[in-house]
């Protein structure tokens, strides 16, 4: 059978540090050719031709930090609903976290997730296995060509998968040949902060207290320990959702290749600060907490100089009912996958970032850091995961009604933007086009090159 070919031309191709007018020809699942200027007319023969009208064409976003809640918490979200939100937002691959029900802490739970994703996911998928105090044998026996790495929670968050012993962390690093991704918040310190705040102000705490309890020291202490341990054990460590200026001292600028320690931040730490709690309340309550304007500004600088290597969403849907309550009782986490690229491009529009850096942090570096097979770049022979964005559209205001996530809301409700995702291609197939989802499209399992 003839393989389907699609020619996308008259687009600004943003890839590997350049942004030039050009074209991409896909054939079957893969990119066949890409070039500058106009394509040779012979390429149009037998191909579906898409005139991009000067829009941007980027590699599909790889969101390496999501909580799709499937299995067990599917009243909030599931892989079908959230993968739709993903492709509508230009995300063609995701890596999901283990704090589901049951938690993904053994090979069986991992296999179940892979099977479920193959049945329902519109985007390509990968999964972490979670560390516990006693699952070393499972971690050792896992095939890390099919699993993104080991996720370890140093501080408690949704799901109660806490490992606050450095001895356990060391043993895993010594014996498990896989990248370790950590949620670095110091459990003892955050408990002490919580007690101190409650004894002084009582339990009816406004949301502004969230970053007082989960403060800078809570993050710094845990990140420092994780980094020291990784250095001592000479083990690959990826610090998740870095939220403070302090932690940036632990990181090196430049490209991720060759680094022992790499780091992620999320759009919410780049766009918001604690000044927004009074307006947005629990909608922007997440762990780690969003900190001060000075932290936000320092994180922006670190994205530019490479101390921050990746931008992922920490997409963590919860129902708005679950978001009611105080700084102690409202659940933590927000959905973001559908609007993360739009939010980052809006910050480009405001002059805060260069679009090429956004592509590096959201597409290229995730593929490099997790060793993802043939994705994250626009290169011949790579999978045709592409996103076309109109970055000069009529301004429109995002509202909760736009949210495709099951939880039905977005922390960006009320934000006016002038860019939108128009077209998302996953493995050479249209998954989303001008507001229409092609629900029968299925992504593939990501393949990884394990890194010790
Ligand atoms: O805010 C958060 N929400 N932080 C986490 O670490 C977990 C996540 C969730 O699963 O809800
Ligand atoms: Zn998370």
């Amino acid at each position: 059978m003839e393989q389907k070919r699609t020619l996308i031309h008259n687009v600004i191709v943003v890839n590997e540090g350049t942004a030039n007018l050009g074209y991409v020809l896909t054939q079957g699942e893969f990119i066949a050719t890409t070039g500058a200027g106009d394509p040779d007319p012979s390429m149009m023969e037998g191909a579906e031709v898409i005139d991009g009208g000067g829009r941007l064409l980027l590699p599909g976003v790889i969101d390496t930090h999501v909580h799709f809640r499937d299995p067990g918490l599917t009243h909030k979200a599931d892989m079908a609903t959230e993968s739709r939100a993903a492709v509508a937002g230009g995300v063609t691959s995701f890596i999901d976290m283990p704090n589901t029900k049951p938690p993904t802490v053994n090979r069986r739970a991992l296999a179940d997730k892979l099977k479920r994703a193959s049945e329902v996911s519109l985007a390509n998928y990968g999964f972490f296995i979670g560390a516990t105090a006693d699952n070393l044998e499972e971690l050792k026996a896992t095939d890390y060509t099919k699993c993104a790495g080991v996720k370890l929670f140093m501080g408690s968050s949704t799901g109660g998968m806490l490992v606050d012993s450095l001895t356990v962390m060391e043993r895993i690093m010594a014996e498990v040949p896989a990248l370790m991704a950590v949620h670095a918040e110091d459990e003892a310190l955050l408990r002490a902060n919580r007690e101190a705040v409650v004894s002084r102000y009582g339990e009816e705490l406004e949301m502004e207290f969230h970053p007082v309890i989960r403060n800078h020291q809570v993050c710094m202490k845990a990140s420092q320990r994780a980094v020291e341990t990784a250095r001592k054990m000479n083990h690959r460590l990826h610090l998740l959702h870095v939220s403070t200026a302090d932690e940036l001292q632990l990181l090196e600028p430049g490209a991720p290749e060759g680094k022992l320690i790499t780091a992620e931040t999320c759009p919410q730490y780049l766009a918001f600060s604690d000044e927004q709690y009074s307006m947005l309340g629990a909608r922007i309550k997440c762990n780690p907490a969003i900190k001060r304007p000075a932290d936000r500004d320092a994180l922006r600088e670190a994205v530019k100089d490479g101390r921050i290597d990746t931008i992922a969403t920490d997409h963590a849907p919860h129902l708005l009912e679950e978001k009611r309550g105080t700084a102690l009782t409202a659940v933590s986490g927000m959905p973001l996958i559908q609007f993360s690229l739009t939010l980052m491009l809006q910050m480009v529009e405001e002059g805060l970032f260069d679009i090429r850096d956004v592509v590096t942090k959201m597409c290229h570096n995730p593929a490099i850091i997790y060793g993802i097979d043939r994705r994250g770049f626009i290169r011949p022979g790579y999978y045709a995961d592409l996103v076309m964005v109109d970055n000069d559209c009529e301004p429109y205001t995002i509202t909760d009604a736009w949210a495709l996530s099951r939880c039905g809301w977005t922390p960006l409700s009320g934000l006016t933007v002038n860019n939108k995702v128009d077209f998302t291609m996953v493995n050479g197939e249209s998954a989303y086009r001008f507001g229409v989802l092609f629900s029968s499209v299925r992504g593939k399992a990501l393949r990884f090159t394990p890194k010790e």
Side-chain angles (χ1 to χ4, degrees):
M1 203 180 83
E2 273 282 287
Q3 283 190 317
K4 180 177 163 55
R5 298 188 326 144
T6 307
L7 178 67
I8 307 169
H9 72 114
N10 194 17
V11 280
I12 309 287
V13 179
V14 188
N15 187 50
E16 305 194 59
T18 63
N20 295 321
L21 191 74
Y23 61 87
V24 174
L25 176 68
T26 72
Q27 178 161 1
E29 299 174 347
F30 298 106
I31 294 168
T33 351
T34 169
D38 292 324
D40 191 284
S42 67
M43 280 185 201
M44 303 205 180
E45 278 165 36
E48 181 187 2
V49 178
I50 297 174
D51 181 343
R55 290 179 179 80
L56 303 175
L57 190 75
L58 325 178
V61 170
I62 304 178
D63 190 340
T64 53
H65 188 158
V66 309
H67 300 265
F68 278 3
R69 312 297 191 202
D70 198 347
L73 298 161
T74 52
H75 67 287
K76 298 178 197 278
D78 70 26
M79 286 192 210
T81 57
E82 306 316 286
S83 68
R84 288 159 165 254
V87 297
V91 176
T92 51
S93 301
F94 65 84
I95 301 180
D96 176 68
M97 288 295 170
N99 57 339
T100 41
K101 244 183 174 169
T104 322
V105 293
N106 54 47
R107 285 164 292 163
R108 190 168 160 198
L110 199 59
D112 284 349
K113 275 194 171 176
L114 282 162
K115 179 163 180 292
R116 166 89 178 137
S118 73
E119 289 163 0
V120 302
S121 178
L122 276 72
N124 306 307
Y125 47 87
F127 298 93
F128 279 101
I129 186 162
T132 70
D134 53 16
N135 74 340
L136 184 63
E137 292 311 314
E138 283 292 335
L139 299 180
K140 279 165 71 177
T142 296
D143 175 357
Y144 291 100
T145 63
K146 295 182 183 160
C147 170
V150 175
K151 164 77 184 274
L152 188 144
F153 284 88
M154 295 173 84
S156 56
S157 195
T158 313
M161 291 186 56
L162 177 64
V163 180
D164 60 353
S165 144
L166 281 188
T167 324
V168 172
M169 189 191 248
E170 273 191 21
R171 278 205 67 190
I172 296 171
M173 285 185 173
E175 298 195 38
V176 180
L179 175 141
M180 182 181 284
V182 297
H183 178 129
E185 288 191 287
D186 188 85
E187 184 63 18
L189 206 49
L190 83 84
R191 281 196 194 153
N193 287 348
R194 189 185 292 143
E195 276 167 31
V197 167
V198 168
S199 71
R200 184 148 182 202
Y201 301 100
E203 299 217 338
E204 290 301 308
L205 296 168
E206 303 280 330
M207 222 42 74
E208 282 85 347
F209 280 99
H210 183 54
V212 177
I213 295 167
R214 291 186 181 252
N215 67 4
H216 294 72
Q217 286 88 341
V218 164
C219 294
M220 185 58 174
K221 189 167 175 197
S223 284
Q224 220 159 9
R225 286 195 165 154
V227 166
E228 276 164 18
T229 311
R231 290 231 171 88
K232 176 173 149 197
M233 306 306 290
N234 193 31
H235 192 92
R236 270 293 284 121
L237 174 75
H238 192 46
L239 282 181
L240 301 172
H241 41 46
V242 171
S243 64
T244 68
D246 313 29
E247 290 164 286
L248 298 171
Q249 298 161 29
L250 304 168
L251 304 168
E252 284 168 49
E257 286 98 336
K259 286 184 189 170
L260 191 66
I261 320 286
T262 51
E264 165 197 287
T265 193
C266 313
Q268 54 273 38
Y269 304 111
L270 298 168
F272 298 129
S273 74
D274 58 3
E275 292 173 344
Q276 269 84 45
Y277 284 114
S278 60
M279 269 276 288
L280 297 173
R283 284 186 172 226
I284 59 162
K285 183 184 185 219
C286 56
N287 301 335
I290 291 169
K291 311 286 193 309
R292 297 176 192 148
D295 295 293
R296 176 198 63 201
D297 296 348
L299 288 164
R300 289 173 179 171
E301 286 309 309
V303 165
K304 292 182 211 162
D305 70 24
R307 281 171 295 162
I308 293 290
D309 300 283
T310 63
I311 298 172
T313 58
D314 198 1
H315 176 78
H318 292 287
L319 301 185
L320 280 175
E321 293 100 273
E322 299 166 321
K323 280 280 188 187
R324 289 204 199 107
T326 66
L328 297 183
T329 59
V331 292
S332 293
M334 65 185 93
L336 204 62
I337 202 164
Q338 190 182 343
F339 300 108
S340 55
L341 180 59
T342 286
L343 179 57
M344 290 309 303
L345 292 178
Q346 202 58 34
M347 289 194 262
V348 168
E349 173 79 14
E350 286 167 25
L352 294 169
F353 297 108
D354 184 308
I355 178 127
R356 293 166 299 180
D357 291 337
V358 169
V359 167
T360 300
K361 308 294 164 171
M362 299 182 89
C363 313
H364 303 332
N365 286 357
I368 293 168
I369 285 173
Y370 289 94
I372 299 172
D373 181 32
R374 286 171 292 169
R375 301 192 190 272
F377 296 86
I378 299 179
R379 287 178 182 162
Y382 275 51
Y383 287 97
D385 291 344
L386 300 166
V387 51
M388 192 165 81
V389 181
D390 183 349
N391 72 332
D392 191 22
C393 69
E394 278 295 305
Y396 66 99
T397 302
I398 297 172
T399 66
D400 285 349
W402 282 67
L404 292 167
S405 289
R406 172 159 295 146
C407 65
W409 64 278
T410 161
L412 303 188
S413 183
L415 181 73
T416 299
V417 295
N418 65 345
N419 78 80
K420 71 178 192 314
V421 171
D422 276 339
F423 177 39
T424 307
M425 180 183 261
V426 179
N427 303 313
E429 286 188 80
S430 294
Y432 175 84
R433 219 154 152 166
F434 296 107
V436 179
L437 278 161
F438 294 86
S439 301
S440 61
V441 168
R442 291 293 170 268
K444 291 174 175 293
L446 300 175
R447 292 282 153 172
F448 304 95
T449 309
K451 296 218 174 77
E452 222 170 312

